[in-house]
Amino acid sequence: MTKRIKELITNWLVEEGFEVKNLSSLPPIQIAWGLDVFTPPPLKVNLKIFKPKGKEDRIIILLGVGVSPVHAKKLAELKPEGRLRFSSKLLGRILSVCNICNVAIQPNPVEIQAITVALTIFDSRISEDSKPEFLERITLVVNAFLEIISTFNEEFPTLPETGGKEESTTTRI
């Protein structure tokens, strides 16, 4: 069954224009199998889809977003209370987009370096007919990414410099 689920998911994603590669490992998480997935253009969001070892009755859709150096500098200028206020607002907004997602601000809400969003789907919910529901779950996680970026840009608006190399204000992990 697990091999069939991987094949189904891979086929669905490829049919929809996603770039899909095998994911061999995902430290520190041990995986039975995994996929490294990029959404189709124009927005290229990197997701990891995997079956965790020891809990092989489910798959996880994982998004990791690292705080860019530009935004890290802006966050560092805030007092700890301001950073906590920002991370609380960010967490609430992400959960309003995907209230079934597990969200973590790492390493903690005051020293924000990365945000992870994970959505669990149990194998019993995946069948030949469940492509629309699966793609809706992918959309929820991608929308969480957009909310993260929007919240950072609202709080710390930073326009790219013109001419020369532009520094990205987001980092995907």
Side-chain angles (χ1 to χ4, degrees), residues 126-151:
I126 300 173
S127 68
E128 298 281 344
D129 301 327
S130 60
K131 178 181 176 181
E133 291 82 12
F134 179 79
L135 292 174
E136 286 173 1
R137 300 298 191 227
I138 294 286
T139 300
L140 283 175
V141 176
V142 170
N143 285 346
F145 171 79
L146 294 172
E147 188 59 51
I148 292 166
I149 300 310
S150 295
T151 302

Side-chain angles (χ1 to χ4, degrees), residues 2 5 9 26 34 40 43 61 65 70 72 97 103 111-112 120 131 164-165 170-171:
T2 188
I5 287 174
I9 290 171
L26 190 62
L43 182 68
I61 302 169
V65 181
V70 171
V97 169
V103 182
E111 300 166 7
I112 309 164
T120 301
K131 178 181 176 181
K165 186 178 177 188
T170 61
T171 305

